[in-house]
Amino acid sequence: MGIPVISYEGPFQGVFGTAINPIVPVTLNPRGGNITCSIIPSLPAGLSLNTQTCVVSGSPSEVIQSTSFTVTANNGTHSSNGIFNLSVAAGVPQLAYNGPSGGRGGIVTGK
């Protein structure tokens, strides 16, 4: 078996509470055998790594500054790394009016 090849483009950006466009490797060649993928550091809460395809997906529930993530693709004999940067911004608060019917009084809150 040869050394697997994995690479990502980017950087990638997400918004708190909103599903990200999946982060898909632009190159993933196992060079024999099946691939097992792992990532360091841990992804923000709400995101996950598919350990067979090396694709990151989900809806982040944690705000992070730009962080470099390393995905390791292992074919049982050899491994290689693909690196991408990801940041997650806070979402825009949505306002709701919780007042009585008729439109007088009440409280405006951020949700």
Side-chain angles (χ1 to χ4, degrees), residues 5-6 8 23 30 36 43 52 54 56 60-61 65 74 77 82 85 87-88 91 94 101 104 106 108-110:
V5 178
I6 183 170
Y8 293 86
I23 299 173
T36 301
L43 289 164
Q52 296 176 336
C54 301
V56 175
S61 57
Q65 294 182 359
N74 187 311
T77 303
N85 289 317
S87 61
V88 177
Q94 297 182 3
S101 60
R104 294 194 172 130
V108 176
T109 60

Side-chain angles (χ1 to χ4, degrees), residues 2 8 14 17 24 40 42 45 50 54 57 63 66 75 77 79 81 83 88-90 93 95 99 102 110:
Y8 293 86
V24 179
I40 55 172
S42 295
N50 181 307
C54 301
S57 61
V63 173
S66 183
N75 66 7
T77 303
S79 63
N81 297 325
I83 299 171
V88 177
L95 299 178

